[in-house]
Amino acid sequence: MSKPIVAIVGRPNVGKSTLFNALAGEKISIVEDYPGVTRDRIYADVTWLNYQFTMIDTGGIEPESKDMMISYMRKQAEIAIETADVIIFLVDVRQGLVDSDYKVADMLRKSHKPVVLAVNKVDNFDKFMADVYEFYNLGMGDPMPISSASRLGIGDLLDEVVKHTMQLEGDEEEDERPRIAIVGKPNVGKSSIINKLLGEDRVIVSDIAGTTRDAVDTAVTYEDKEFVFIDTAGLRRKSKIKEDLERYSIIRTVAAVERADIVILVIDAQEGVTEQDAKIAGIAHQRGKGIIIAVNKWDAIEKDDKTIYKHTKKVREVLSFMPYAEIMFISALTGQRMFKMFEIIENVIQNQSLRIQTGVLNEILTEAVAMQQPPSDKGKRLKIYYMTQVAIKPPTFVIFVNSKDLMHFSYTRYLENKIREAFGFGGTSLKFIVRERKEKE
């Protein structure tokens, strides 16, 4: 089950970012320091009680004038409606009800997505309750008084959000079909790849009926296997502001990656791998998804016997945090190697679901430890007792040691390399959890 996505919508200065930060806790950075990942926080993972969801901040760009306000709000609401499962509509008790609040409420109502109406800046419930009731006029159900700054009412707000996400989970039957998101910067050929895959005689295409969130999903049957492709190329509407476009394409990408098992990152061969590519790759890596890098427009590159080697090296350098990613060179235009894609997807799916017996893992562990001594600090040496696999998608291993502090990142990586040498695990990240045990246990 993918994590539900919750978006915050509201006029400028109603406190969206304050609410976002209050909900996201102190985790201010979007992802760890992968190269090329800027720290503009567009999304964050929120855990409330036992529930987890991904929070998206649709704001970020403020309109310059009153006239632009409505179109700005509309754009923001559109992006939220398109990508989110639950929407928090934030209004400001001190400014009261304004025209653009009504317009946004209309859009949200028509979308039939669950909306939680939150009235912000209520730092004294007794004093402001009469003003809060005014927002019943929006016809969006009960307004919930909160104060992002003083963190009042946040728990009730989250309870309400979780109620909606639980209903969504009830609505979704378990879909076993692998979901593949095709992501990348605008104009790298994402749509042409999907169209090429769909346009072949060997492929049976069926539109997926049902939920609105699957508006751009396509079911594809290839050699009796069904795949669901999630197209993020929905960014057809041209935006006047460049950073606007970039921010929204990232929001869309987060939404698609969240729902996918495998992410195909499309890179333009002529342009080479860029910082924006690294940003998108970082999102998929952090989420533990299967990853295939498709270098498109390969037909346009002049080649000699070293071309593939040079391009591969460059991609590996920029995306050095994901050496496991599968790389393929394709052309959506000529169809070159397009069908290899299904084969690679199949392999990655198998690797993501691979389970390794504890006995076998510990043989590899014993050998690895014998070849390279675990680190020590002030005379105390790291002891590794044993290792076991606890999950798949991505394959997740727990390592039991005498001291967590001694388990350096570099030694975990060394063990990961040993496991990969034995089992490959191409295209999927591996997750390691280090647990401490006392000698006697």
Side-chain angles (χ1 to χ4, degrees), residues 261-263 288-293 316 322-327 343-354 356 394-395 416-417 419-430:
D261 302 307
I262 291 180
V263 173
K289 305 295 181 177
I291 296 181
I292 298 168
I293 296 163
R316 292 281 183 224
M322 46 197 294
Y324 55 86
E326 296 284 5
I327 299 181
E343 199 180 302
I344 292 184
I345 289 171
E346 272 291 300
N347 286 346
V348 174
I349 290 168
Q350 281 168 356
N351 289 337
Q352 275 187 308
S353 308
L354 196 58
I356 296 166
E416 173 174 347
N417 292 340
I419 290 173
R420 286 190 186 277
E421 273 168 35
F423 300 102
F425 280 118
T428 179
S429 61
L430 302 181

Side-chain angles (χ1 to χ4, degrees), residues 153-215:
I154 300 281
D156 294 341
L157 177 66
L158 285 170
D159 284 344
E160 200 54 36
V161 168
V162 163
K163 226 185 274 174
H164 289 300
T165 60
M166 279 161 68
Q167 275 168 349
L168 287 168
E169 282 177 28
D171 298 343
E172 270 193 22
E173 310 87 73
E174 270 309 300
D175 188 346
E176 292 299 313
R177 297 173 299 183
R179 305 177 82 84
I180 294 113
I182 297 193
V183 303
K185 299 197 314 271
N187 306 325
V188 289
K190 299 188 289 285
S191 298
S192 348
I193 289 178
I194 287 196
N195 295 340
K196 190 73 183 175
L197 289 174
L198 305 188
E200 295 291 331
D201 322 334
R202 286 185 278 175
V203 166
I204 304 157
V205 181
S206 53
D207 282 329
I208 296 179
T211 56
T212 42
R213 66 186 278 185
D214 295 342

Side-chain angles (χ1 to χ4, degrees), residues 63 109 115 141 370 378 387:
R109 216 183 349 265
V115 176
K378 301 192 183 66
M387 181 185 329

Side-chain angles (χ1 to χ4, degrees), residues 257-297:
V257 166
E258 199 59 78
R259 294 170 42 216
D261 302 307
I262 291 180
V263 173
I264 297 178
L265 172 64
V266 185
I267 288 172
D268 185 327
Q270 290 162 292
E271 199 183 348
V273 56
T274 65
E275 197 171 294
Q276 175 88 344
D277 295 324
K279 207 190 257 189
I280 295 169
I283 295 168
H285 169 73
Q286 191 208 15
R287 293 286 190 263
K289 305 295 181 177
I291 296 181
I292 298 168
I293 296 163
V295 183
N296 189 23
K297 308 185 187 175

Side-chain angles (χ1 to χ4, degrees), residues 56 134 141 143 170 193 197 267 278 281 283 317 339 350 355 371 378 381:
I56 290 183
E134 189 195 349
I193 289 178
L197 289 174
I267 288 172
I283 295 168
E317 274 167 13
F339 276 89
Q350 281 168 356
R355 282 190 187 275
M371 282 167 67
K378 301 192 183 66
R381 183 169 294 285

Side-chain angles (χ1 to χ4, degrees), residues 49-291:
L49 309 174
N50 296 328
Y51 296 96
Q52 284 188 322
F53 51 86
T54 299
M55 187 90 194
I56 290 183
D57 181 4
T58 58
I61 291 146
E62 304 300 12
E64 284 141 37
S65 69
K66 282 272 190 288
D67 319 331
M68 284 171 69
M69 175 75 85
I70 300 284
S71 66
Y72 159 81
M73 291 293 297
R74 180 168 295 137
K75 173 93 186 171
Q76 209 194 64
E78 271 169 15
I79 206 94
I81 289 166
E82 189 181 324
T83 53
D85 299 309
V86 179
I87 296 164
I88 295 176
F89 179 19
L90 196 63
V91 290
D92 179 341
V93 77
R94 316 238 158 153
Q95 293 173 18
L97 252 177
V98 299
D99 193 29
S100 49
D101 289 337
Y102 280 108
K103 292 214 163 58
V104 174
D106 285 341
M107 279 184 72
L108 295 177
R109 216 183 349 265
K110 285 184 192 130
S111 74
H112 301 298
K113 291 260 172 119
V115 176
V116 179
L117 176 61
V119 184
N120 196 17
K121 306 189 187 173
V122 182
D123 27 31
N124 178 330
F125 282 13
D126 300 333
K127 190 170 136 200
F128 285 111
M129 266 338 258
D131 301 323
V132 170
Y133 292 141
E134 189 195 349
F135 289 95
Y136 270 109
N137 290 318
L138 286 173
M140 304 295 310
D142 298 332
M144 306 198 67
I146 64 164
S147 164
S148 307
S150 338
R151 300 195 173 209
L152 290 172
I154 300 281
D156 294 341
L157 177 66
L158 285 170
D159 284 344
E160 200 54 36
V161 168
V162 163
K163 226 185 274 174
H164 289 300
T165 60
M166 279 161 68
Q167 275 168 349
L168 287 168
E169 282 177 28
D171 298 343
E172 270 193 22
E173 310 87 73
E174 270 309 300
D175 188 346
E176 292 299 313
R177 297 173 299 183
R179 305 177 82 84
I180 294 113
I182 297 193
V183 303
K185 299 197 314 271
N187 306 325
V188 289
K190 299 188 289 285
S191 298
S192 348
I193 289 178
I194 287 196
N195 295 340
K196 190 73 183 175
L197 289 174
L198 305 188
E200 295 291 331
D201 322 334
R202 286 185 278 175
V203 166
I204 304 157
V205 181
S206 53
D207 282 329
I208 296 179
T211 56
T212 42
R213 66 186 278 185
D214 295 342
V216 282
D217 292 3
T218 317
V220 172
T221 307
Y222 178 70
E223 291 182 351
D224 298 332
K225 289 208 176 69
E226 246 195 290
F227 303 89
V228 175
F229 281 90
I230 302 169
D231 183 5
T232 56
L235 250 172
R236 304 278 189 281
R237 295 187 293 270
K238 287 280 171 279
S239 170
K240 291 174 202 59
I241 322 172
K242 186 178 171 298
E243 63 266 30
D244 200 23
L245 193 72
E246 182 164 314
R247 183 182 182 93
Y248 289 145
S249 64
I250 291 254
I251 288 178
R252 279 204 174 85
T253 302
V254 172
V257 166
E258 199 59 78
R259 294 170 42 216
D261 302 307
I262 291 180
V263 173
I264 297 178
L265 172 64
V266 185
I267 288 172
D268 185 327
Q270 290 162 292
E271 199 183 348
V273 56
T274 65
E275 197 171 294
Q276 175 88 344
D277 295 324
K279 207 190 257 189
I280 295 169
I283 295 168
H285 169 73
Q286 191 208 15
R287 293 286 190 263
K289 305 295 181 177
I291 296 181

